[in-house]
Amino acid sequence: LLLAWAVKLFFIPLMYTWLVMAVTSLLGLEWRWSPTAVVAGLFAFGLGADLLIATAGYVFASRLLDNEVRSTDATWLGWLCCVLCYPPLLAVLHALRQQTDDVIWSDWLQPAEPLYWLWAALVTLTWLVYWVSTMAFGLRFSNLSWRGLVDTGPYRYTRHPAYLSKNLYWWLHTVPFVGVADARDLMRNLAGLAFVSTVYYLRAKTEERHLMAFPEYAAYAARIARDGWWARCRRRLRAARPA
């Protein structure tokens, strides 16, 4: 019970503050028709929706809504991997993720190039997946907690679509291999993003370690391992290999 309240006390003020900032940013957004503006708009809208759902999830936890906290991760590694992604420790992650250049994908590519449109679509897709993943949680959204199984939306195909799409966005948005002065800068860019992705990988694994104690989640994890998107891809690749 104390850990459940610790989660609430940590995340509710944080999510509410970010929600106010996201809504303010969304209201001040300059809407115009261009791939860059559309991606920025989807980013702002998705972030606002994500924070609205997250804030509501932390505030409105109740048996009446079937989203009460049933268990909270009690391990130090689980908490560390999670809080690293939020202030004040988020500053460490941002510092390590900081690129040696300011080039992003829309500086690298131009609208006259076909790759520009493909890249814009991929960047947009990452945030759409992230947004839909949060919507799938609904009022069960919470960190470090088990509040019942979520296996709808993107979670029908993979266990961690939100983490996967968020990390893909960072790699696609920052294009770490572009704008570097030398091999050292390139390695610095790649290492920074790789570290962040590793943190999210560990975050996913610590969450799974906690949730595997519940038969409902264990059965879900086994089903995804057998029939999920990546399992299907592996089977198709094996079938396509020449005999």
Side-chain angles (χ1 to χ4, degrees), residues 156-203:
R156 292 178 58 190
Y157 309 102
T158 183
R159 294 191 299 273
H160 302 285
Y163 294 165
L164 178 62
S165 59
K166 182 184 287 189
N167 279 271
L168 285 174
Y169 168 81
W170 285 327
W171 284 86
L172 290 169
H173 180 77
T174 58
V175 283
F177 51 86
V178 176
V180 293
D182 51 37
R184 179 181 296 180
D185 283 354
L186 174 61
M187 294 305 297
R188 169 65 180 81
N189 285 355
L190 294 175
L193 283 173
F195 178 82
V196 174
S197 295
T198 300
V199 169
Y200 273 87
Y201 173 80
L202 292 174
R203 188 176 172 185

Coordinates of all heavy atoms in Angstrom, one line a residue, residues 156-203:
R156 N -1.7 -6.3 -28.7 CA -2.1 -7.6 -29.2 C -0.9 -8.2 -30.0 O -0.9 -9.4 -30.2 CB -3.2 -7.4 -30.2 CG -4.6 -7.0 -29.6 CD -5.6 -6.8 -30.6 NE -5.8 -8.0 -31.4 CZ -6.5 -8.1 -32.6 NH1 -7.1 -7.0 -33.0 NH2 -6.6 -9.2 -33.2
Y157 N 0.1 -7.4 -30.4 CA 1.1 -7.9 -31.3 C 2.5 -7.9 -30.6 O 3.4 -8.6 -31.1 CB 1.2 -7.0 -32.5 CG -0.2 -6.9 -33.2 CD1 -0.9 -5.7 -33.0 CD2 -0.7 -7.9 -33.9 CE1 -2.2 -5.6 -33.6 CE2 -2.0 -7.8 -34.5 CZ -2.7 -6.6 -34.4 OH -3.9 -6.5 -34.9
T158 N 2.7 -7.0 -29.6 CA 4.0 -7.0 -28.9 C 3.8 -6.5 -27.5 O 2.8 -5.8 -27.2 CB 5.0 -6.1 -29.7 OG1 6.3 -6.1 -29.0 CG2 4.5 -4.6 -29.7
R159 N 4.7 -6.9 -26.6 CA 4.5 -6.6 -25.2 C 4.8 -5.1 -24.8 O 4.3 -4.6 -23.8 CB 5.4 -7.5 -24.3 CG 5.0 -9.0 -24.4 CD 5.7 -9.8 -23.4 NE 7.2 -9.8 -23.5 CZ 7.8 -10.6 -24.3 NH1 7.2 -11.5 -25.0 NH2 9.2 -10.6 -24.4
H160 N 5.7 -4.5 -25.6 CA 6.1 -3.1 -25.2 C 6.1 -2.2 -26.4 O 7.1 -1.6 -26.8 CB 7.5 -3.2 -24.6 CG 7.6 -4.1 -23.5 ND1 7.1 -3.7 -22.2 CD2 8.2 -5.3 -23.3 CE1 7.4 -4.7 -21.4 NE2 8.0 -5.7 -22.0
P161 N 4.9 -2.0 -27.1 CA 4.8 -1.1 -28.2 C 5.2 0.4 -27.9 O 5.7 1.0 -28.8 CB 3.4 -1.3 -28.7 CG 2.6 -1.7 -27.5 CD 3.6 -2.5 -26.7
A162 N 4.8 0.8 -26.7 CA 5.1 2.2 -26.4 C 6.6 2.5 -26.3 O 7.1 3.5 -26.8 CB 4.4 2.6 -25.1
Y163 N 7.3 1.6 -25.6 CA 8.7 1.8 -25.5 C 9.4 1.6 -26.8 O 10.3 2.4 -27.1 CB 9.3 0.7 -24.5 CG 8.8 0.9 -23.1 CD1 9.0 -0.1 -22.1 CD2 8.2 2.1 -22.6 CE1 8.6 0.0 -20.8 CE2 7.8 2.2 -21.3 CZ 8.0 1.2 -20.4 OH 7.6 1.3 -19.1
L164 N 9.0 0.7 -27.6 CA 9.6 0.4 -28.9 C 9.4 1.6 -29.8 O 10.3 2.1 -30.4 CB 9.0 -0.8 -29.5 CG 9.5 -1.2 -30.9 CD1 11.0 -1.5 -30.9 CD2 8.7 -2.4 -31.5
S165 N 8.2 2.1 -29.9 CA 7.9 3.2 -30.8 C 8.6 4.5 -30.3 O 9.1 5.3 -31.1 CB 6.4 3.5 -30.9 OG 5.8 3.8 -29.6
K166 N 8.6 4.7 -29.0 CA 9.3 5.9 -28.5 C 10.8 5.9 -28.8 O 11.3 6.9 -29.3 CB 9.1 6.0 -27.0 CG 9.8 7.3 -26.4 CD 9.7 7.2 -24.8 CE 8.3 7.5 -24.4 NZ 8.2 7.7 -22.9
N167 N 11.4 4.8 -28.7 CA 12.9 4.7 -29.0 C 13.1 4.8 -30.5 O 14.1 5.4 -30.9 CB 13.5 3.4 -28.4 CG 13.8 3.6 -27.0 OD1 14.9 4.0 -26.6 ND2 12.8 3.2 -26.1
L168 N 12.3 4.2 -31.3 CA 12.4 4.3 -32.8 C 12.3 5.8 -33.2 O 13.0 6.3 -34.1 CB 11.3 3.5 -33.5 CG 11.6 2.0 -33.5 CD1 10.4 1.2 -34.1 CD2 12.9 1.7 -34.3
Y169 N 11.3 6.5 -32.5 CA 11.2 7.9 -32.8 C 12.5 8.7 -32.6 O 12.9 9.5 -33.4 CB 10.1 8.5 -32.0 CG 10.1 10.0 -32.0 CD1 9.5 10.7 -33.1 CD2 10.7 10.8 -31.0 CE1 9.5 12.1 -33.2 CE2 10.7 12.2 -31.1 CZ 10.1 12.8 -32.1 OH 10.1 14.2 -32.2
W170 N 13.1 8.5 -31.4 CA 14.4 9.2 -31.1 C 15.4 8.9 -32.2 O 16.1 9.8 -32.6 CB 14.9 8.8 -29.8 CG 14.1 9.4 -28.6 CD1 13.5 10.7 -28.7 CD2 13.8 8.9 -27.4 NE1 12.8 10.9 -27.5 CE2 13.0 9.8 -26.7 CE3 14.1 7.7 -26.8 CZ2 12.5 9.6 -25.4 CZ3 13.7 7.4 -25.5 CH2 12.9 8.4 -24.8
W171 N 15.6 7.7 -32.6 CA 16.6 7.3 -33.6 C 16.2 7.9 -35.0 O 17.1 8.5 -35.6 CB 16.7 5.8 -33.7 CG 17.4 5.1 -32.6 CD1 16.9 4.7 -31.4 CD2 18.8 4.9 -32.5 NE1 17.9 4.2 -30.6 CE2 19.1 4.3 -31.3 CE3 19.9 5.0 -33.4 CZ2 20.4 3.9 -30.9 CZ3 21.2 4.6 -33.1 CH2 21.4 4.0 -31.8
L172 N 15.0 7.9 -35.3 CA 14.6 8.4 -36.6 C 14.6 10.0 -36.6 O 15.0 10.6 -37.6 CB 13.2 8.0 -37.0 CG 13.0 6.5 -37.3 CD1 11.5 6.1 -37.4 CD2 13.7 6.2 -38.6
H173 N 14.3 10.6 -35.5 CA 14.2 12.0 -35.5 C 15.6 12.7 -35.4 O 15.8 13.7 -36.1 CB 13.4 12.5 -34.2 CG 13.3 13.9 -34.0 ND1 12.4 14.7 -34.8 CD2 14.0 14.8 -33.2 CE1 12.6 16.0 -34.4 NE2 13.5 16.0 -33.5
T174 N 16.5 12.1 -34.7 CA 17.8 12.7 -34.5 C 18.8 12.3 -35.6 O 19.8 13.0 -35.7 CB 18.4 12.3 -33.1 OG1 18.5 10.9 -33.0 CG2 17.5 12.8 -32.0
V175 N 18.5 11.3 -36.4 CA 19.4 10.8 -37.4 C 20.9 10.9 -36.9 O 21.6 11.8 -37.4 CB 19.2 11.4 -38.8 CG1 18.0 10.9 -39.4 CG2 19.1 13.0 -38.7
P176 N 21.3 10.1 -36.0 CA 22.6 10.3 -35.3 C 23.8 10.2 -36.3 O 24.9 10.6 -35.9 CB 22.7 9.2 -34.3 CG 21.7 8.1 -34.8 CD 20.6 8.9 -35.5
F177 N 23.6 9.6 -37.4 CA 24.7 9.4 -38.4 C 24.9 10.6 -39.3 O 25.8 10.6 -40.2 CB 24.5 8.1 -39.2 CG 23.1 8.0 -39.8 CD1 22.8 8.6 -41.0 CD2 22.1 7.4 -39.1 CE1 21.5 8.6 -41.6 CE2 20.8 7.4 -39.7 CZ 20.5 7.9 -40.9
V178 N 24.0 11.6 -39.2 CA 24.1 12.8 -40.1 C 24.5 14.0 -39.3 O 24.2 14.2 -38.2 CB 22.7 13.1 -40.7 CG1 22.7 14.3 -41.5 CG2 22.2 11.9 -41.5
G179 N 25.4 14.8 -40.0 CA 25.8 16.1 -39.4 C 27.0 15.9 -38.5 O 27.4 16.9 -37.8
V180 N 27.6 14.8 -38.4 CA 28.8 14.6 -37.5 C 30.0 15.0 -38.2 O 30.2 15.0 -39.4 CB 28.9 13.1 -37.1 CG1 27.7 12.7 -36.2 CG2 29.0 12.2 -38.3
A181 N 31.0 15.5 -37.4 CA 32.2 16.0 -37.9 C 33.2 14.9 -38.1 O 34.0 15.0 -39.1 CB 32.8 17.1 -36.9
D182 N 33.2 13.9 -37.3 CA 34.2 12.8 -37.5 C 33.6 11.5 -36.8 O 32.5 11.5 -36.3 CB 35.5 13.2 -36.9 CG 35.4 13.7 -35.4 OD1 34.5 13.2 -34.7 OD2 36.1 14.6 -35.0
A183 N 34.4 10.5 -36.9 CA 34.0 9.2 -36.3 C 33.8 9.3 -34.8 O 32.9 8.6 -34.3 CB 35.1 8.1 -36.6
R184 N 34.5 10.1 -34.1 CA 34.3 10.2 -32.7 C 32.9 10.8 -32.4 O 32.2 10.3 -31.5 CB 35.4 11.1 -32.1 CG 35.2 11.3 -30.6 CD 36.3 12.2 -30.0 NE 37.6 11.6 -30.1 CZ 38.7 12.2 -29.7 NH1 38.7 13.5 -29.2 NH2 39.9 11.7 -29.9
D185 N 32.5 11.8 -33.1 CA 31.2 12.4 -32.9 C 30.1 11.3 -33.2 O 29.1 11.2 -32.6 CB 31.0 13.6 -33.8 CG 31.7 14.8 -33.2 OD1 32.2 14.7 -32.1 OD2 31.7 15.9 -33.9
L186 N 30.3 10.6 -34.3 CA 29.4 9.5 -34.7 C 29.2 8.5 -33.5 O 28.1 8.1 -33.2 CB 29.8 8.8 -36.0 CG 29.0 7.6 -36.4 CD1 27.5 8.0 -36.7 CD2 29.6 7.0 -37.6
M187 N 30.3 8.1 -33.0 CA 30.3 7.1 -31.9 C 29.6 7.7 -30.7 O 28.9 7.0 -30.0 CB 31.7 6.6 -31.6 CG 32.3 5.8 -32.7 SD 31.3 4.4 -33.2 CE 31.3 3.4 -31.7
R188 N 29.8 9.0 -30.4 CA 29.2 9.6 -29.3 C 27.7 9.7 -29.5 O 26.9 9.4 -28.5 CB 29.8 11.0 -29.1 CG 29.0 11.9 -28.2 CD 29.1 11.4 -26.7 NE 28.4 12.3 -25.8 CZ 27.1 12.3 -25.6 NH1 26.3 11.4 -26.3 NH2 26.5 13.1 -24.7
N189 N 27.2 10.0 -30.7 CA 25.8 10.0 -31.0 C 25.2 8.7 -30.8 O 24.1 8.5 -30.2 CB 25.6 10.6 -32.4 CG 25.8 12.0 -32.5 OD1 26.0 12.7 -31.5 ND2 25.7 12.6 -33.7
L190 N 25.8 7.7 -31.4 CA 25.3 6.3 -31.3 C 25.2 5.8 -29.9 O 24.3 5.1 -29.5 CB 26.1 5.4 -32.3 CG 26.0 5.7 -33.8 CD1 26.9 4.8 -34.5 CD2 24.6 5.5 -34.3
A191 N 26.3 6.0 -29.2 CA 26.4 5.5 -27.8 C 25.4 6.2 -26.9 O 24.8 5.5 -26.1 CB 27.8 5.8 -27.3
G192 N 25.1 7.5 -27.1 CA 24.1 8.1 -26.3 C 22.7 7.6 -26.5 O 22.0 7.3 -25.5
L193 N 22.3 7.4 -27.8 CA 21.0 6.8 -28.0 C 20.9 5.4 -27.6 O 19.9 4.9 -27.1 CB 20.7 7.0 -29.5 CG 20.2 8.4 -30.0 CD1 20.1 8.4 -31.5 CD2 18.9 8.8 -29.3
A194 N 22.0 4.6 -27.8 CA 22.1 3.2 -27.4 C 21.9 3.1 -25.9 O 21.2 2.2 -25.4 CB 23.4 2.6 -27.8
F195 N 22.5 4.0 -25.1 CA 22.3 4.0 -23.7 C 20.8 4.2 -23.3 O 20.3 3.4 -22.4 CB 23.2 5.0 -23.0 CG 23.0 5.1 -21.5 CD1 23.7 4.2 -20.7 CD2 22.2 6.0 -20.9 CE1 23.6 4.2 -19.3 CE2 22.0 6.0 -19.5 CZ 22.7 5.1 -18.7
V196 N 20.2 5.2 -23.9 CA 18.8 5.4 -23.6 C 17.9 4.2 -24.0 O 17.1 3.8 -23.2 CB 18.3 6.7 -24.4 CG1 16.8 6.8 -24.2 CG2 19.0 7.9 -23.9
S197 N 18.2 3.6 -25.1 CA 17.4 2.4 -25.5 C 17.7 1.3 -24.5 O 16.8 0.5 -24.3 CB 17.8 2.0 -26.9 OG 17.4 3.0 -27.9
T198 N 18.9 1.2 -24.0 CA 19.2 0.1 -23.1 C 18.4 0.3 -21.8 O 18.0 -0.6 -21.2 CB 20.7 0.1 -22.8 OG1 21.4 -0.2 -24.0 CG2 21.1 -1.0 -21.7
V199 N 18.3 1.6 -21.3 CA 17.5 1.9 -20.1 C 16.1 1.4 -20.3 O 15.5 0.8 -19.4 CB 17.6 3.4 -19.8 CG1 16.5 3.7 -18.7 CG2 19.0 3.8 -19.3
Y200 N 15.5 1.7 -21.5 CA 14.1 1.3 -21.8 C 14.0 -0.3 -21.9 O 13.0 -0.8 -21.5 CB 13.6 2.0 -23.0 CG 13.0 3.3 -22.7 CD1 13.8 4.5 -22.6 CD2 11.6 3.4 -22.4 CE1 13.2 5.7 -22.3 CE2 11.1 4.7 -22.1 CZ 11.9 5.8 -22.0 OH 11.3 7.0 -21.7
Y201 N 15.1 -0.9 -22.4 CA 15.1 -2.3 -22.5 C 15.0 -2.9 -21.0 O 14.3 -3.8 -20.8 CB 16.3 -2.8 -23.2 CG 16.5 -4.3 -23.2 CD1 15.8 -5.2 -24.0 CD2 17.4 -4.9 -22.3 CE1 15.9 -6.5 -24.0 CE2 17.6 -6.3 -22.3 CZ 16.8 -7.1 -23.1 OH 17.0 -8.5 -23.1
L202 N 15.9 -2.4 -20.2 CA 15.9 -2.8 -18.8 C 14.6 -2.5 -18.1 O 14.1 -3.3 -17.2 CB 17.1 -2.2 -18.0 CG 18.5 -2.7 -18.5 CD1 19.6 -1.9 -17.8 CD2 18.7 -4.2 -18.2
R203 N 14.0 -1.4 -18.4 CA 12.7 -1.0 -17.8 C 11.7 -2.0 -18.2 O 10.9 -2.5 -17.4 CB 12.3 0.4 -18.3 CG 11.1 1.0 -17.7 CD 10.9 2.4 -18.1 NE 9.6 2.9 -17.7 CZ 9.1 4.1 -18.0 NH1 9.8 4.9 -18.8 NH2 8.0 4.5 -17.5

